[in-house]
Amino acid sequence: MARDVTERKRVEAALRESEEKYRHLVENLNEGIWVIDKDACTTFVNARMAEMLGYEREEMLGRHLFSFMDEQAARVAEANLQRRREGVRERHDFRFLRKNGEYIDTTMATSPLLDGWGNFTGALAGVQDITDMKRVEEALRESEVNYRTLVESSPDGILSLAIGGCITACNQEVCDMLGYSREELKGMDFRRMLSGTAPDELPEYLERLKEFNLIEDEFELVRRDGQPIPVWVKIVGLYNRKGELAEALVYLRDVGERKKLEQMKDEFISLVSHELRSPLTVIMGAVNTALTEGERLSPEETRQLLQDAALESEALSHRLGNLLELSRVQANRLLLYLEPMSIETALYTEVEKAKQSDSTHDIVLDIPEKLPRVQADDLRVRRILHNLLENAMKYSPQGGEIGVTARAEDGRIVISISDQGIGISAEDQLALFSPFHRLEESMRQGIKGIGLGLLVCRRLVEAHGGRVWVESEPGRGSTFYFTLPLNQATQ
């Protein structure tokens, strides 16, 4: 008997060829292949899967799938395996433990394996190592968080502009600066916030940006409430992959305070120049008159000229001294030369000098017979007294009384100088010891000064460990107090 098996041989050869191709494909995949039985024990892994976990293939066969995971991942994998028993195909990310103790991140696409009757016999998974991708994603997330933190914590306003001029994003500083919410700003035309001719110049800015990639300028923005804000602007171009200008990154810095300081500086220089020029004019005039007209002047007239020059010289010296003291404080170079000093002597001396420079006021000195000596810088204490007495005489009416007191209490010397002047409102008292602060009423009355005397007093008193303050009501005069500690004093 004979049977033709040609067709069977052809099918068997085709099957072997197919199996060989499948085996070749599986073994050379860059993706791991993992097959488990219905109890999750490993029945097959390809070379790539074993390489991923650092094992020989034989070491993995027969081992439970969950033994290659930590406890948390194993619980998730067990729940997913139950879904495979129900015939569900899914993709999940898992973290596996390599043989050397390191972890790798993977993504697994798992399919159930069924027999001819549809019973679950196991599962086949394609496994991809995504550790590097996860690291890149994590680095990207960290970079984005750092960038967002940097942008949000920046003292400058930062916003993104589309080429048409619409705002696409901004930080909180821009909202605070302009008085809008983020939602209101997003999509708004930036040109709406520009004042003057700046809106018409935006196309020109974009052309310059294409050429230079960076622009710095200053112009005014308009807040929501209509208030203008001078700003420094830096615009940086951002380009797409084609090299085309895609959007602009705009940095905004409110320079209003800087502008005010510059204006204040200019006004201060002008004021100081005037205040220094006035005594110099008197000094030069008196000296020149004494030199050129000396033969025709009486001794009394010559003496008066020289006395005027001496008084103005002393006034000029004190103004320059105040400026020098402030510069030392600003540069942290103020050094006190502490030594035992008599407060009574300093008070008597400065009061006598004040009487000689201005005889139109009655200065009343009320101090006890004996005051404790204090450890202080004699020259700086006298400067404090001079500034306070000079202010009292400036703001008191002619013939008005100026009171000077001193007493020891609670481990300190308390000195007060009171006047019968125009008084100071509570609002003005808050800024009284600030730089260049002068009362509007005094400026209307033409009272001279550059607004530094009280600031110098405050800095020098605080350097000694004391305190300075004022008690005053409008129309009822003012009393200035300062203290010097006695904790280092010699009795």
Side-chain angles (χ1 to χ4, degrees):
M1 294 180 63
R3 180 181 299 168
D4 187 353
V5 293
T6 304
E7 182 62 22
R8 190 190 74 184
K9 290 290 185 178
R10 188 185 64 78
V11 170
E12 288 176 351
L15 181 61
R16 283 195 299 272
E17 183 179 355
S18 175
E19 287 178 346
E20 185 63 29
K21 288 180 180 179
Y22 173 75
R23 186 177 299 106
H24 181 77
L25 175 66
V26 168
E27 292 300 335
N28 291 279
L29 276 175
N30 196 39
E31 184 178 82
I33 300 296
W34 200 326
V35 181
I36 57 173
D37 63 17
K38 63 180 181 179
D39 297 319
C41 288
T42 303
T43 59
F44 173 81
V45 290
N46 67 350
R48 175 59 181 149
M49 189 69 250
E51 180 188 353
M52 281 188 201
L53 298 186
Y55 289 93
E56 296 295 332
R57 293 168 66 173
E58 292 74 15
E59 295 178 282
M60 296 182 65
L61 297 178
R63 283 186 58 177
H64 207 280
L65 170 68
F66 306 148
S67 67
F68 297 96
M69 302 177 177
D70 59 25
E71 185 176 348
Q72 181 180 359
R75 286 198 299 270
V76 176
E78 187 172 7
N80 288 335
L81 183 60
Q82 179 58 39
R83 292 174 59 80
R84 302 303 172 275
R85 292 189 178 100
E86 297 167 2
V88 180
R89 298 184 179 188
E90 288 181 332
R91 178 182 290 271
H92 287 280
D93 290 349
F94 287 103
R95 173 168 283 189
F96 283 99
L97 182 65
R98 286 173 52 85
K99 186 176 181 179
N100 62 6
E102 296 177 355
Y103 283 97
I104 64 168
D105 291 296
T106 68
T107 183
M108 295 181 66
T110 312
S111 300
L113 298 177
L114 307 176
D115 62 15
W117 293 273
N119 298 317
F120 178 79
T121 61
L124 181 147
V127 184
Q128 288 182 315
D129 184 349
I130 59 171
T131 306
D132 290 340
M133 186 179 72
K134 286 280 189 181
R135 286 173 183 165
V136 171
E137 289 176 352
E138 183 61 31
L140 181 60
R141 280 194 296 270
E142 184 177 345
S143 176
E144 288 176 348
V145 168
N146 291 340
Y147 173 75
R148 194 175 298 113
T149 302
L150 179 63
V151 168
E152 288 301 328
S153 61
S154 171
D156 292 335
I158 301 176
L159 55 84
S160 297
L161 282 185
I163 294 306
C166 288
I167 299 172
T168 57
C170 68
N171 67 350
Q172 185 60 40
E173 185 64 26
V174 173
C175 301
D176 297 340
M177 187 184 300
L178 299 176
Y180 293 92
S181 67
R182 288 181 195 253
E183 292 73 21
E184 291 172 320
L185 286 173
K186 192 171 182 179
M188 186 181 293
D189 193 328
F190 184 62
R191 286 172 288 190
R192 286 180 50 187
M193 301 169 196
L194 303 174
S195 66
T197 59
D200 299 328
E201 295 175 355
L202 187 59
E204 179 185 341
Y205 276 108
L206 292 177
E207 289 303 316
R208 288 170 55 193
L209 191 60
K210 291 176 183 178
E211 183 177 356
F212 301 108
N213 197 42
L214 186 147
I215 299 173
E216 289 190 46
D217 207 341
E218 287 190 9
F219 48 76
E220 277 190 345
L221 296 181
V222 181
R223 281 178 52 87
R224 183 173 191 167
D225 57 11
Q227 177 186 347
I229 309 173
V231 294
W232 166 84
V233 178
K234 180 178 180 180
I235 309 175
V236 180
L238 301 178
Y239 295 82
N240 59 24
R241 292 181 179 179
K242 297 180 181 179
E244 301 167 335
L245 183 62
E247 60 179 329
L249 198 61
V250 182
Y251 298 85
L252 302 172
R253 183 176 301 166
D254 186 346
V255 294
E257 287 301 318
R258 191 196 76 190
K259 295 284 187 183
K260 289 178 183 177
L261 287 175
E262 289 176 353
Q263 181 181 359
M264 187 183 295
K265 180 190 71 175
D266 294 340
E267 292 174 353
F268 171 70
I269 291 174
S270 175
L271 184 61
V272 168
S273 299
H274 174 74
E275 289 296 318
L276 297 183
R277 190 182 300 114
S278 296
L280 280 174
T281 301
V282 174
I283 295 167
M284 292 171 64
V287 172
N288 286 332
T289 301
L291 288 173
T292 58
E293 305 293 332
E295 294 180 358
R296 291 189 291 272
L297 296 175
S298 66
E300 291 76 14
E301 290 173 326
T302 302
R303 179 178 178 80
Q304 184 61 51
L305 287 171
L306 295 177
Q307 186 174 0
D308 291 343
L311 289 174
E312 291 297 329
S313 296
E314 187 170 357
L316 180 59
S317 175
H318 276 289
R319 287 168 190 165
L320 291 173
N322 282 338
L323 289 171
L324 288 173
E325 294 289 27
L326 284 181
S327 69
R328 292 187 186 106
V329 171
Q330 191 69 24
N332 294 319
R333 291 190 294 105
L334 179 64
L335 298 177
L336 298 181
Y337 299 93
L338 303 178
E339 58 183 359
M341 68 166 288
S342 167
I343 292 296
E344 305 103 294
T345 302
L347 284 169
Y348 281 121
T349 302
E350 293 305 316
V351 166
E352 286 303 313
K353 287 182 180 179
K355 288 180 178 179
Q356 292 174 12
S357 65
D358 186 351
S359 59
T360 62
H361 296 90
D362 183 19
I363 303 178
V364 179
L365 184 59
D366 179 18
I367 60 175
E369 293 183 1
K370 184 68 174 176
L371 282 171
R373 295 170 70 83
V374 296
Q375 286 286 116
D377 187 318
D378 185 83
L379 180 64
R380 269 53 184 268
V381 171
R382 291 174 187 270
R383 184 176 299 284
I384 296 166
L385 293 171
H386 173 88
N387 287 345
L388 294 178
L389 284 167
E390 184 180 52
N391 271 8
M393 291 186 291
K394 280 183 184 178
Y395 295 102
S396 289
Q398 288 192 359
E401 182 179 290
I402 295 172
V404 180
T405 70
R407 65 184 185 276
E409 64 174 33
D410 300 328
R412 60 183 183 170
I413 295 288
V414 182
I415 301 167
S416 72
I417 298 176
S418 58
D419 61 54
Q420 296 177 335
I422 58 178
I424 306 168
S425 67
E427 181 181 357
D428 279 327
Q429 289 180 37
L430 295 174
L432 198 59
F433 295 92
S434 302
F436 319 129
H437 181 78
R438 300 189 66 215
L439 302 178
E440 290 186 12
E441 182 62 28
S442 68
M443 290 188 286
R444 282 196 294 268
Q445 295 179 10
I447 298 174
K448 295 180 179 181
I450 56 178
L452 293 181
L454 290 178
L455 177 61
V456 171
C457 290
R458 176 185 172 186
R459 296 287 190 245
L460 295 181
V461 168
E462 291 177 350
H464 280 84
R467 186 170 74 93
V468 62
W469 71 98
V470 63
E471 294 178 2
S472 180
E473 292 181 27
R476 301 189 64 176
S478 306
T479 301
F480 285 84
Y481 297 87
F482 76 93
T483 65
L484 296 172
L486 288 170
N487 55 342
Q488 295 181 354
T490 58
Q491 302 295 327

